[in-house]
Amino acid sequence: MQEKYQPADVEIAAQDFWNRSGAARAIEDINRPKYYCLSMFPYPSGKLHMGHVRNYTIGDVLARFHRMLGDNVMQPMGWDAFGMPAENAAIQNNVPPAQWTYANIDYMKTQLKRLGFAIDWERELATCRPEYYRWEQWLFTRLYNKGLIYQRLGTVNWDPVEQTVLANEQVIDGRGWRSGALIEKREIPMYYMKITTYAEELLADLDQLDGWPEQVRLMQKNWIGKSTGVRFAFPYELDGQPGQLWVFTTRADTIMGVTFCAVAAEHPLASYAAARDPRVAAFVEECKQGGVAEADLATMDKKGLPTGIFVTHPLSGEQIEVWIGNYVLMSYGDGAVMAVPAHDERDFAFARKYGLPIKQVIAVAGETFSLDGWQEWYADKQRGVCVNSGNYDGLDCKTAVEAIAADLAAQGLGEKKVQFRLRDWGISRQRYWGCPIPIIHCTTCGDLPVPDQDLPVVLPENITIGGAGSPLARMPEFYETTCPGCGGKARRETDTMDTFVESSWYFLRYCCPDNDHAMVDERVAYWCAGGIDQYIGGIEHAILHLLYSRFWTKLMRDLGLFGEHRLDEPFAHLLTQGMVVAPTFYREDSHGKKQWLNPAEVDAVHDERGRAVGATLRADGLPVIVGGIEKMSKSKNNGVDPQALIEQFGADTARLFIMFASPPDQSLEWSDAGVEGAFRFLKRLWRFVYEHVSAGPVAPTPAAHLSTELQGLRRQLHQTIGKVADDYGRRKQFNTAIAAVMELLNAYARITDDSAAARAVRQETLEAVTLMLNPIVPHICEALYAALRPGHTLSGQAFPKPDASALVQNEIELVLQINGKLRGSLRVPAAADRASIESAALASETAQKHLAGTAPRKLIMVPGRLVNIVT
Ligand code: ANZ
Ligand code: ZN
């Protein structure tokens, strides 16, 4: 064994050994319990960032721990390889997106390997490969035939200068990110997946997911957004034609308080008015500008304009004016609302702004309604009672809704209705670097799915990007084809799929990545039985990715792709890791613009709590400003490159620091001091083993007849084993596990005894420590274990089990007081009775000295804690 800890050598040797022995291979074995440990696959952006390292370290710790428990572990990895950044890089660097992507994958794979993750690389997949997306296209055609994928017009962001569609994130303050042009909303044909068909099940099954953080389940629930209400119509007549304005309301009990109706700018009544009044037309245009992101709509200033159209209140017969309101969403309900300004906060603001009437129809005992400002109780469903509402006066909310729904239904003008916030999923993108949509357009036969034997529709990889729109639409060799129906000339679809589609089923394909005649096979049943055992990833995917994955799993189930094995939910346990944050540093230039400096370029001064309080730029020695602690990001230039860390200290130090710095679901603050601390700890562990091993082999001695001190160390060792196993397995709190091992090693260091018995306890302790730390720092543990047990390897060893007999406390230590003052301690057998403790106390050297031959006046005893002799 080397005297000095040399991480690079240790890590290369360990990785070599694992590669040669196939330590991370996962092979189906129905006789062993399986453990499928899944981490969210990365987008191949160029290099790993600290968030990746954290994510995959957590996964690896769990994978290695479960392997030591005897589980058949699968830990796969792949690449979420399609997406926009590749196209942007292509434009900037003039390389095809494919080439850029594959080069990034190669590099990032070497980084993952360098970190020593026990990944089964035989299962690696990249979603941009035809052998992967072929099955996505295959499934698309099935869903298309079942009507679960359909085409309709959808609204997109149109950049009039670049003549192209922009993603929501490319629209900044309503303008195109590159052109700066005002973005228009445009309607184009798009493909949608009918996720709404599954809304009820996606909501109900959240209850099964007790292995998920409550917060994530709640986010999904809100996203699905089930509301129960009434859908009803206001009849009207326009140009002599009868019509009905349908609205959805959750507060039908307030129907007698309607003072106007509001419709979305895209609503047919708005279009009708716009066609007749240029002022309305201009307003409708204005509403259509700006991004289509929902967040923008929620925070916008309320704006509106009357249409001049009147509708009839279905119960009172009153004439009600229809307004266009920018707070009404075309995509929710019917794109129109009955406005009750007295009891709906948005309607209240709108009515106040435009001087529309406000009529109170709900009262709460002890509260007074006033037009001065909105009060929370105006919307109170629990305490509210109908007033000014004719027949309905005195009814509570629930009863009134029932009565009003019944009266509307009697006229054929309404019904109770469950409404979901969840919308169908628009999956088409007008971009190049994605999975081609397998549809052929024929002027005679219409739209036909590509037949199975013609799949995959391969995306051409060797292209140059430039000009507006997708290059596919400029490549006749791609889009010119023959119709599978009539054999005539036809045009291939040039849109590609949203990359969320690929990530909705990759975890199933890991089970059978080599199958070239089916999307999934019976290996899915083995690995996914009862759900994937652990999924680890960022909270930013708490809604869409997880929802879409749940949806796809149900779709595939309903197509019978899992045979008789029922898989309702893909992920049994979910861990959402916290962010990696770091201090920020900057200088202001002459225009007051912040120039962010990377933490690696500055020398910081820290206070006693480790916070940066001052800093200088290393290059010029002059001060810089210390900003806040923020998520590591390019925009704040506060990212720490994991590569540099690994090169300086090794993968084990990186892994240890990350797992020790905070619990996995909380944010992790980067600290150089913390990294150095982790490195020092590993060096210390190395030294302990080196010193112990250098003293020669250890003779096996029975654990009986140990000194109290050695018994104490053994007890702590076995307590630690129990705690660490519980921390890893049940609590998933790795930092406390590491802390317990550190304490154990402190106790180890205090033992100075050199007897054979002491050396045996040391051997036992060090062996157990390497086993316990193995999931976190596997390279150094592999080396230390081999040094401790020549001829053995750590790989394949089981996780240690606490020895029950070591936990039994044979002796206890009591505090010894003389006249209430602490004077020493007293060791007695744990089972000793009062009389024998009393005589042991009186016989002690301390008591003898203080009593000096006299008899004690009194002896007070607190069982298990102390003895107080009163002289
Ligand atoms: C009248 C009313 C009175 C309402 C009242 C609320 C309180 P949730 O719970 O999210 O389903 N609404 C309906 N369609 C809309 C649309 N397309 N755009 C904007 N708002 C719309 O919300 C349902 C409520 O949101 C409905 O109930 C309707 O306003 C509004 F005292 O109707 B309510
Ligand atoms: Zn045809």
Side-chain angles (χ1 to χ4, degrees), residues 227 248-251 254 328-329 332 337-338 343-344 346:
S227 351
F248 173 73
T249 178
T250 45
R251 292 298 306 271
T254 65
V328 184
L329 299 171
Y332 188 65
V337 300
M338 69 167 200
H343 304 289
D344 180 279
R346 292 165 301 177

Side-chain angles (χ1 to χ4, degrees), residues 163-233:
Q163 293 282 305
T164 186
V165 173
L166 298 186
N168 283 340
E169 57 273 26
Q170 295 173 314
V171 180
I172 295 156
D173 297 332
R175 289 173 182 275
W177 64 332
R178 255 200 281 268
S179 67
L182 273 180
I183 294 308
E184 297 164 12
K185 289 182 199 163
R186 274 224 181 160
E187 303 260 289
I188 60 165
M190 302 238 282
Y191 294 87
Y192 285 86
M193 289 194 77
K194 263 198 184 164
I195 191 171
T196 51
T197 311
Y198 285 76
E200 200 71 69
E201 191 190 345
L202 286 166
L203 180 67
D205 285 358
L206 287 173
D207 287 344
Q208 299 180 17
L209 300 177
D210 45 20
W212 282 36
E214 189 49 44
Q215 176 209 8
V216 176
R217 289 202 275 177
L218 188 66
M219 286 161 87
Q220 297 239 327
K221 182 174 173 220
N222 291 338
W223 188 262
I224 297 168
K226 179 177 178 174
S227 351
T228 319
V230 175
R231 181 171 180 263
F232 73 93

Side-chain angles (χ1 to χ4, degrees), residues 200-527:
E200 200 71 69
E201 191 190 345
L202 286 166
L203 180 67
D205 285 358
L206 287 173
D207 287 344
Q208 299 180 17
L209 300 177
D210 45 20
W212 282 36
E214 189 49 44
Q215 176 209 8
V216 176
R217 289 202 275 177
L218 188 66
M219 286 161 87
Q220 297 239 327
K221 182 174 173 220
N222 291 338
W223 188 262
I224 297 168
K226 179 177 178 174
S227 351
T228 319
V230 175
R231 181 171 180 263
F232 73 93
F234 292 82
Y236 62 80
E237 207 171 281
L238 264 189
D239 304 333
Q241 296 290 319
Q244 294 182 331
L245 172 63
W246 285 86
V247 299
F248 173 73
T249 178
T250 45
R251 292 298 306 271
D253 57 320
T254 65
I255 195 166
M256 301 312 273
V258 173
T259 57
F260 63 99
C261 283
V263 299
E266 298 86 354
H267 193 276
L269 286 186
S271 313
Y272 177 92
R276 281 155 189 80
D277 181 343
R279 267 188 61 226
V280 175
F283 179 66
V284 164
E285 266 323 296
E286 188 190 326
C287 288
K288 285 184 182 169
Q289 260 158 24
V292 291
E294 228 179 279
D296 299 344
L297 295 172
T299 54
M300 271 184 328
D301 258 356
K302 307 243 165 344
K303 276 193 203 155
L305 209 68
T307 59
I309 299 169
F310 284 81
V311 296
T312 309
H313 192 291
L315 297 180
S316 73
E318 253 177 285
Q319 285 302 100
I320 305 281
E321 185 163 32
V322 178
W323 283 62
I324 299 169
N326 68 344
Y327 67 103
V328 184
L329 299 171
M330 192 58 214
S331 55
Y332 188 65
D334 289 277
V337 300
M338 69 167 200
V340 185
H343 304 289
D344 180 279
E345 193 171 359
R346 292 165 301 177
D347 298 343
F348 185 86
F350 193 86
R352 295 293 306 205
K353 178 161 178 185
Y354 293 105
L356 294 163
I358 296 175
K359 178 184 171 197
Q360 181 192 359
V361 289
I362 299 289
V364 165
E367 304 280 7
T368 321
F369 192 88
S370 121
L371 294 181
D372 293 346
W374 174 259
Q375 297 179 52
E376 284 308 313
W377 73 262
Y378 295 174
D380 194 327
K381 274 191 192 180
Q382 256 63 49
R383 296 181 300 156
V385 177
C386 293
V387 294
N388 302 328
S389 298
N391 291 343
Y392 311 111
D393 278 357
L395 300 184
D396 63 35
C397 172
K398 248 184 115 178
T399 323
V401 168
E402 294 298 330
I404 289 164
D407 290 348
L408 290 166
Q411 298 187 48
L413 282 179
E415 65 201 350
K416 287 186 65 181
K417 168 129 204 249
V418 172
Q419 180 73 47
F420 288 93
R421 197 181 158 277
L422 184 66
R423 301 272 67 104
D424 277 344
W425 172 17
I427 55 164
S428 39
R429 297 289 179 270
Q430 297 70 39
R431 345 207 122 267
Y432 154 74
W433 188 235
C435 169
I437 290 181
I439 291 285
I440 291 169
H441 306 289
C442 170
T443 43
T444 319
C445 312
D447 297 340
L448 295 177
V450 175
D452 286 0
Q453 68 271 17
D454 296 337
L455 293 177
V457 177
V458 176
L459 182 75
E461 292 195 343
N462 201 3
I463 58 107
T464 34
I465 294 210
S470 167
L472 294 180
R474 294 190 300 270
M475 293 174 76
E477 64 274 34
F478 176 78
Y479 64 71
E480 282 179 356
T481 185
T482 47
C483 169
C486 66
K489 272 196 166 179
R491 191 183 163 95
R492 199 183 281 296
E493 175 62 60
T494 55
D495 276 1
T496 57
M497 288 190 226
D498 179 5
T499 60
F500 271 120
V501 178
E502 284 87 60
S503 56
S504 293
W505 67 283
Y506 74 108
F507 44 88
L508 299 172
R509 188 67 184 173
Y510 278 145
C511 301
C512 51
D514 53 0
N515 192 331
D516 58 9
H517 57 273
M519 185 174 192
V520 288
D521 60 34
E522 66 293 341
R523 287 174 286 177
V524 171
Y526 174 75
W527 291 111

Side-chain angles (χ1 to χ4, degrees), residues 731-757:
R731 297 181 64 230
K732 303 204 174 67
Q733 299 286 297
F734 311 97
N735 56 330
T736 51
I738 297 166
V741 174
M742 289 176 168
E743 276 169 37
L744 175 66
L745 284 175
N746 289 340
Y748 172 100
R750 283 194 293 269
I751 306 269
T752 48
D753 186 345
D754 257 335
S755 65

